[in-house]
Amino acid sequence: MADVRIALRELLRKYKADTEVDALKEGLVLLVQELMEAEVTEKTGAERYERTCARRTYRNGYRLRRWDTRVGTVKLRIPKVRLGSYFPALLEPRRRTEKALLAVVQEAYVHGVSTRKVDDLVRALGIDGMSRSEVSRICAALDERMEAFRNRPLEGEYPYVWLDATVVKVREGGRVVNMAAVVAVGGTAEGEREVLGFDVGPAESYGFWVTFLRGIVGRGLAGVKLVISDAHVGLKQALSEVMAGSSWQRCRVHFMRNLLGLVPRGAQQLVGAWVRTIFAQPDQEAAREQLELVASSLESNYPKAAELLREAAEDVIAHMAFPQAHWKRIHSTNVLERLHREVKRRCNVVGIFPNPASALRLIGAILEEQGDEWLAVRRYFSRGSMANLYAGSPQHEVPALEVPKEVIPV
C-alpha cells in the first residue's frame, strides 16, 4: 500500500508541474497494475521476492498489451508466471472482434448486402440506432489497429511455420466471388504460438503466395526450420523460392484425404489403417522402410495410391527429423484448421462481405483476439523439447508405437 501512495504522490506532483499530463489515464494504469499484481500474488501464493512454503509458482516477467478504454488507449504490463497461465480478469479478449462485427454490419447497409440477413444480425447484436459518424469512427479505429497488428515487426526465431487458407464470400464488381483468406502461424523459439500474418486475395495463386510470404519475411521472419502446409502447387512453388533452406512437411490430414480418394470406398478404412503404420514408426528410417512395404502391397490393386505414396514419401515424414515430442503438432495444419473454423463461424454471421477490406478487418480482429488467448494458455511446445530442437537431436521423449513391419497384401 505504501508503494501505491508513493506512486500517487509522484503522479500528483507531475500533474501540478505540467497540466498536460493525463492524470486520469495514468491513474487508471496505476490502479489496474496494482490489481493485476494482487491477482498474481494470489495465484503464486507469495508476494514478490517473498520466501514461503505456500508458494505455488513464480513470476516470470511481463508482456505488453494495449487496452482501449473510455479515457483512451493505455499500455499494460501483464505479469507472466512460470507454471500455468495468467490472464487478467478485468480484460475482455473478445472486445475487438465485436467492434469488427459492428463495422461490417454498417458497411453492409451502405453497400447493399442482403437486407434480411443484415437486419437479423442487427437485432441479434442489439445495435439499432448507431449513427453513421460513430460507424465511421469505429471503422477507422479498427483499420488502424488491424494494420498495426498485420504489419508489426517480427522478432526472434520461428522454427515452425504453418500455412493454410480458407474461403470467404465477398461482393466485388457487382457480383459475389469466393476469395482466399490466407493465414500464417509461427511457433516461437520459446514454444509459443503467434499469428505471423494474414491477407485476403482473389485466389491461392503462386503470385499471391509469393507476395504474402515475402511480406512476412520482410517483417523479420527468421530461423524457419520446418514449414507445414498442404500440397497446393502455387504454395509449394512460392515456398521453394521464398523459404529455401527450410524443410517442408506435407499436411498429413490433407495427404490422407488425397490418397484415400484414389481407393474404393469399401477399402478405404483398411488402406488408411495400413498407411498409418508408417507414421507409428519410431524414426524416419523405419518409416521409409514401412512406407515402401505399404506401397508395394498397394501397387497391384491400387497403383495410383501406391504412386502417390512413393511420390510424397519424404514430404509426409519430414516432421520425423524433429523432436518426437513435437510430432503430433507439426505433422499437419491442425492448429490452423481449428483457427479457420472459428474464422468461418464468425464470417458466416456476416454471410457476404461488402468488400475485401471489411473481410480483412474482421479476420484481423479475430486473429488478434486469438493471439491474446494463446498468450494466456500454456506453451504449445515445452522448454525442454525446444532445447532438444536447437541441440539438433530428435530426443525420443514419447515412446513409439510397436507395429509389425509387414503388410498383408490386398
Side-chain angles (χ1 to χ4, degrees):
M1 183 62 70
D3 291 341
V4 177
R5 289 176 179 173
I6 293 172
L8 287 173
R9 290 195 191 102
E10 178 65 23
L11 177 59
L12 182 60
R13 187 169 64 253
K14 286 170 58 180
Y15 180 70
K16 287 179 178 179
D18 184 5
T19 56
E20 295 297 320
V21 173
D22 193 334
L24 183 58
K25 184 185 294 187
E26 293 194 21
L28 175 64
V29 173
L30 178 62
L31 173 62
V32 173
Q33 289 292 160
E34 286 299 319
L35 288 173
M36 289 192 294
E37 292 295 339
E39 277 188 336
V40 171
T41 296
E42 183 177 354
K43 184 176 183 64
T44 59
E47 295 283 350
R48 184 185 298 279
Y49 308 121
E50 180 185 4
R51 296 180 180 274
T52 173
C53 297
R55 180 184 288 277
R56 293 183 290 275
T57 183
Y58 292 83
R59 289 170 169 81
N60 190 30
Y62 296 85
R63 66 175 184 272
L64 293 178
R65 185 183 191 274
R66 187 173 64 185
W67 188 32
D68 299 319
T69 71
R70 296 181 184 180
V71 297
T73 299
V74 299
K75 290 185 178 179
L76 301 179
R77 297 171 68 243
I78 299 180
K80 297 193 294 186
V81 294
R82 291 187 184 177
L83 300 176
S85 62
Y86 167 71
F87 192 79
L90 56 90
L91 297 187
E92 301 177 31
R94 297 184 182 274
R95 186 182 179 103
R96 293 190 188 98
T97 300
E98 300 309 319
K99 286 186 177 180
L101 282 172
L102 299 184
V104 170
V105 168
Q106 297 300 323
E107 284 200 16
Y109 271 125
V110 175
H111 290 84
V113 175
S114 170
T115 304
R116 179 181 56 81
K117 290 183 179 179
V118 172
D119 284 344
D120 290 343
L121 178 59
V122 167
R123 286 194 295 271
L125 294 176
I127 59 173
D128 289 321
M130 179 176 286
S131 67
R132 293 200 175 193
S133 61
E134 178 69 8
V135 173
S136 299
R137 187 190 65 80
I138 291 175
C139 289
L142 277 172
D143 286 342
E144 183 180 348
R145 267 204 310 271
M146 184 271 293
E147 287 298 327
F149 173 64
R150 184 184 174 204
N151 298 315
R152 74 194 188 282
L154 301 175
E155 300 176 354
E157 293 191 347
Y158 298 87
Y160 300 129
V161 174
W162 294 266
L163 296 166
D164 201 5
T166 189
V167 176
V168 294
K169 292 185 178 295
V170 179
R171 192 178 299 276
E172 189 177 50
R175 59 196 183 93
V176 177
V177 298
N178 289 328
M179 285 195 166
V182 299
V183 180
V185 168
T188 69
E190 290 74 34
E192 297 176 333
R193 289 169 290 176
E194 184 177 329
V195 176
L196 303 179
F198 56 95
D199 202 356
V200 173
E204 279 192 83
S205 63
Y206 157 75
F208 182 47
W209 275 116
V210 163
T211 302
F212 176 70
L213 293 175
R214 285 177 179 166
I216 59 177
V217 169
R219 286 167 39 225
L221 178 64
V224 179
K225 297 178 179 292
L226 181 69
V227 179
I228 306 100
S229 73
D230 60 18
H232 189 279
V233 176
L235 175 55
K236 285 177 61 179
Q237 186 179 353
L239 286 173
S240 66
E241 294 183 16
V242 182
M243 293 192 177
S246 59
S247 301
W248 176 60
Q249 166 69 32
R250 181 171 180 172
C251 174
R252 202 165 85 190
V253 175
H254 288 85
F255 170 74
M256 290 297 292
R257 290 175 190 159
N258 295 338
L259 184 137
L260 294 179
L262 302 174
V263 176
R265 185 179 297 273
Q268 286 181 358
Q269 186 174 358
L270 183 60
V271 171
W274 289 344
V275 173
R276 291 185 187 95
T277 64
I278 300 167
F279 310 123
Q281 299 305 310
D283 54 53
Q284 210 171 30
E285 188 55 40
R288 288 190 186 98
E289 295 175 6
Q290 186 72 4
L291 186 145
E292 183 55 37
L293 282 172
V294 174
S296 299
S297 176
L298 295 175
E299 198 165 21
S300 58
N301 290 338
Y302 312 116
K304 290 185 178 180
E307 180 183 357
L308 177 61
L309 191 58
R310 288 195 175 104
E311 177 188 325
E314 292 302 318
D315 299 332
V316 293
I317 62 172
H319 66 285
M320 291 183 169
F322 296 84
Q324 191 172 12
H326 296 180
W327 288 5
K328 184 177 179 180
R329 301 190 186 276
I330 63 174
H331 70 66
S332 71
T333 57
N334 278 349
V335 62
L336 276 173
E337 293 293 331
R338 289 190 288 271
L339 186 55
H340 280 323
R341 281 200 297 271
E342 181 64 12
V343 169
K344 294 291 286 186
R345 185 179 73 81
R346 310 278 186 96
C347 290
N348 285 341
V349 176
V350 178
I352 301 171
F353 288 94
N355 52 50
S358 62
L360 198 62
R361 180 183 301 127
L362 178 58
I363 292 170
I366 295 169
L367 296 179
E368 189 175 8
E369 169 194 300
Q370 183 62 71
D372 285 347
E373 292 183 359
W374 279 343
L375 287 173
V377 300
R378 66 181 183 180
R379 289 180 175 84
Y380 205 50
F381 304 108
S382 68
R383 287 185 181 273
S385 65
M386 294 306 295
N388 291 335
L389 171 65
Y390 283 99
S393 171
Q395 292 290 329
H396 301 316
E397 300 170 341
V398 180
L401 296 175
E402 294 291 336
V403 295
K405 289 194 173 184
E406 58 180 345
V407 175
I408 303 173
V410 180

